[in-house]
């Protein structure tokens, strides 16, 4: 077993680390999957919120990027990203005025699932030279946003046809409920249903006269386990590039986890208890309690024999493991694989890109906090 003591003793803690070699393997693996299936890869950058990693994906062959919020899109555009899809619904004229400013500079699309959004676009974009392109979100089982019934999809499609400043470009979905699948086979089955539902929605809209160019799906665990349905043109995984405990659990392999939180041992108060300096403000307090992405505890010690954090306070993490306690000393540094990397990245101003015990560079998390 590798030592669970981190070689990055030169970095103060807590700190966000990204292993370059592992990250590049993850990225190239997903690019190969997209190329084999003849679909575009549009990574969802809400995972890392770093324009530098977004540009890396584009340089390696990604078509564009997906984001969750206008704030992210604004920062990405400022840093040279010219093809952005906001895979989310937007409401409020304040936001649409910001979107209009972006629309004048780059190629940008957004998700919609109701007439309210269409009405606001039509009002704000009235004096633009080109209409705003949108994708209708299809609800495929996650029980979140998106159009559910074909009748509602037909009505929304008809409504868009009546507008001047909105053009329907495609459909998208997110099979996030696959995270709760009981096993890999169930994950694949749920994903197939979700993909077919999304493709069928595109076909329905085409019969109405819409030119549907984009059929976009996305979920890291389903794409790692299964294939891509015929008729899909684009995939939008996000977590795949860095991975985390949830995704590692889904494939029973934590060696693909590129991101860790470096933490110092600050106390060993009992024969079993160890306290680290990375708590909820460094790792979040999330965990998943069911399905293939179940996490157990609040983080996994890298290279350990399944040593998990038992709990997190604001500034402390606590674990109980006699063997770990006997092998570690106060002042030693360990790396914790976060349960969920997306909110973890948002806690940091920068990440350290590392490999083979060396620090390569610091990468600013420029979209940190850009949730408006």
């Amino acid at each position: 077993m590798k030592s669970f003591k981190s070689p990055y003793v030169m970095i103060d803690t807590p700190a966000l680390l990204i292993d370059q070699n592992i990250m590049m393997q993850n990225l190239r693996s997903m690019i190969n999957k997209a190329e084999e299936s003849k679909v575009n890869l549009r990574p969802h950058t809400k995972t890392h919120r770093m324009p530098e990693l977004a540009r890396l994906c584009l340089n390696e062959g990604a078509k564009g990027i997906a984001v969750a919020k206008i704030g992210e899109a604004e920062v990405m555009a400022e840093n040279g990203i010219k093809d952005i899809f906001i895979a989310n619904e937007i409401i409020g004229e304040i936001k649409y005025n910001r979107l209009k400013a972006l629309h004048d500079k780059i190629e940008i699309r957004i998700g919609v699932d109701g007439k309210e959004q269409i009405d606001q676009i039509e009002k704000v974009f009235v004096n633009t030279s080109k209409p705003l392109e949108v994708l209708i979100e299809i609800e495929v089982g996650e029980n979140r946003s998106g159009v559910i019934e074909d009748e509602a999809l037909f009505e929304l499609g008809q409504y868009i046809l009546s507008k001047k400043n909105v053009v329907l470009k495609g459909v998208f979905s997110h099979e996030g409920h696959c995270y709760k699948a009981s096993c890999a086979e169930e994950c694949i089955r749920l994903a197939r249903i979700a993909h077919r539902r999304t493709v069928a929605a595109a076909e329905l809209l085409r019969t109405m006269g819409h030119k549907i160019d984009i059929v976009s799906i996305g979920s890291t665990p389903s794409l790692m386990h299964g294939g891509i349905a015929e008729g899909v043109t684009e995939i939008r995984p996000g977590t795949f590039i860095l991975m985390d405990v949830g995704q590692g659990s889904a494939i029973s392999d934590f060696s693909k986890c590129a991101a860790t939180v470096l933490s110092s041992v600050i106390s060993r108060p009992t024969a079993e208890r160890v306290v680290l300096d990375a708590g909820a403000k460094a790792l979040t307090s999330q965990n998943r309690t069911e399905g293939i992405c179940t996490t157990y505890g609040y983080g996994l010690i890298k290279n350990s024999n399944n040593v998990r954090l038992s709990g997190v306070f604001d500034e402390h993490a606590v674990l109980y493991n006699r063997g770990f306690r006997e092998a570690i000393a106060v002042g030693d540094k360990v790396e914790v694989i976060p349960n969920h990397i997306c909110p973890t990245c948002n806690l940091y101003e920068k990440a350290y890109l590392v490999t083979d015990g060396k620090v390569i560079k610091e990468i600013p998390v420029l979209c940190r906090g850009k949730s408006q």
Side-chain angles (χ1 to χ4, degrees):
M1 182 181 71
K2 296 180 180 179
S3 171
F4 45 68
K5 296 180 184 179
S6 175
Y8 300 106
V9 295
M10 70 291 287
I11 301 174
D12 201 4
T13 60
L16 178 64
L17 310 184
I18 298 174
D19 187 293
Q20 183 185 53
N21 291 339
I22 300 173
M23 178 182 68
M24 292 307 299
Q25 290 170 5
N26 293 342
L27 175 55
R28 286 166 182 158
S29 177
M30 193 61 72
I31 287 172
N32 290 339
K33 187 178 188 71
E35 289 177 347
E36 289 170 1
S37 299
K38 295 181 173 57
V39 300
N40 292 322
L41 173 63
R42 183 180 294 274
H44 205 313
T45 63
K46 73 178 181 67
T47 292
H48 51 77
R49 288 191 157 186
M50 302 178 208
E52 185 164 334
L53 296 192
R55 290 194 299 268
L56 172 66
C57 291
L58 294 172
N59 291 339
E60 290 293 320
K63 169 67 170 61
I65 66 167
V67 301
K69 297 295 182 74
I70 291 180
E72 290 174 312
E74 288 169 334
V75 174
M76 290 293 180
E78 289 169 2
N79 284 271
I81 311 298
K82 302 299 183 183
D83 186 344
I84 302 175
F85 170 48
I86 302 178
N88 202 352
E89 285 72 31
I90 293 171
I91 201 69
E93 291 186 22
I94 293 174
K95 286 184 169 60
Y96 278 113
N97 279 308
R98 291 164 61 195
L99 185 68
K100 184 179 178 183
L102 278 176
H103 180 254
D104 292 336
K105 302 173 184 177
I106 66 170
E107 184 174 291
I108 191 161
R109 303 181 182 93
I110 67 166
V112 299
D113 71 353
K115 296 178 181 179
E116 297 86 354
Q117 297 132 15
I118 304 304
D119 288 341
Q120 291 192 352
I121 296 169
E122 189 73 2
K123 178 180 179 180
V124 173
F125 282 71
V126 65
N127 293 320
T128 54
S129 59
K130 58 179 181 178
L132 179 67
E133 294 180 345
V134 302
L135 279 68
I136 294 178
E137 182 176 13
I138 309 302
E139 207 280 273
V140 292
E142 191 174 26
N143 297 326
R144 201 168 63 179
S145 52
V147 177
I148 300 171
E149 302 293 339
D150 284 351
E151 181 179 355
L153 178 63
F154 185 87
E155 289 180 0
L156 184 56
Q158 287 284 81
Y159 197 69
I160 293 174
L161 283 173
S162 71
K163 304 301 178 183
K164 295 180 179 180
N165 302 315
V166 187
V167 170
L168 182 58
K169 191 70 174 177
V171 295
F172 77 107
S173 63
H174 174 58
E175 62 272 23
H177 56 301
C178 291
Y179 283 60
K180 295 182 179 180
S182 60
C183 60
E185 291 73 18
E186 177 72 359
C187 175
I188 293 170
R189 186 186 71 83
L190 292 173
R192 285 174 179 167
I193 294 171
H195 296 180
R196 287 198 294 265
R197 162 71 175 137
T198 311
V199 172
E203 291 299 332
L204 174 60
L205 291 165
R206 287 183 181 118
T207 65
M208 300 170 59
H210 290 286
K211 185 181 179 183
I212 302 299
D213 296 326
I214 301 171
V215 181
S216 180
I217 58 95
S219 166
T220 291
S222 58
L223 288 169
M224 289 192 299
H225 279 116
I228 300 168
E230 185 176 352
V232 170
T233 68
E234 176 182 278
I235 57 175
R236 303 183 327 278
T239 317
F240 77 96
I241 190 171
L242 298 181
M243 299 287 282
D244 53 24
V245 172
Q247 304 298 341
S249 296
I251 59 174
S252 301
D253 183 1
F254 298 104
S255 69
K256 297 182 185 298
C257 294
T260 56
V261 171
L262 185 69
S263 182
S264 295
V265 177
I266 59 173
S267 180
R268 301 188 309 159
T270 74
E272 294 185 336
R273 189 192 310 160
V274 177
V275 184
L276 307 179
D277 67 352
K281 291 180 181 177
L283 287 163
T284 80
S285 58
Q286 288 190 331
N287 61 31
R288 299 184 189 275
T289 59
E290 60 180 299
I292 57 173
C293 291
T294 298
T295 52
Y296 306 110
Y298 295 89
L300 171 66
I301 302 296
K302 183 177 181 178
N303 295 328
S304 72
N305 185 21
N306 200 34
V307 176
R308 309 264 179 153
L309 302 184
S310 302
V312 289
F313 301 82
D314 280 356
E315 309 294 353
H316 302 75
V318 177
L319 62 89
Y320 293 87
N321 185 288
R322 185 178 293 269
F324 181 82
R325 194 267 185 197
E326 292 175 350
I328 206 81
V330 170
D332 284 343
K333 295 179 180 180
V334 297
E335 295 175 47
V336 182
I337 303 174
N339 281 354
H340 189 183
I341 189 57
C342 304
T344 302
C345 285
N346 194 50
L347 298 172
Y348 291 87
E349 294 180 346
K350 63 184 177 182
Y352 293 87
L353 188 65
V354 300
T355 191
D356 299 328
K358 298 178 181 178
V359 178
I360 300 172
K361 64 192 301 186
E362 297 178 9
I363 303 176
V365 187
L366 295 180
C367 293
R368 179 191 184 204
K370 300 299 183 181
S371 294
Q372 282 189 333

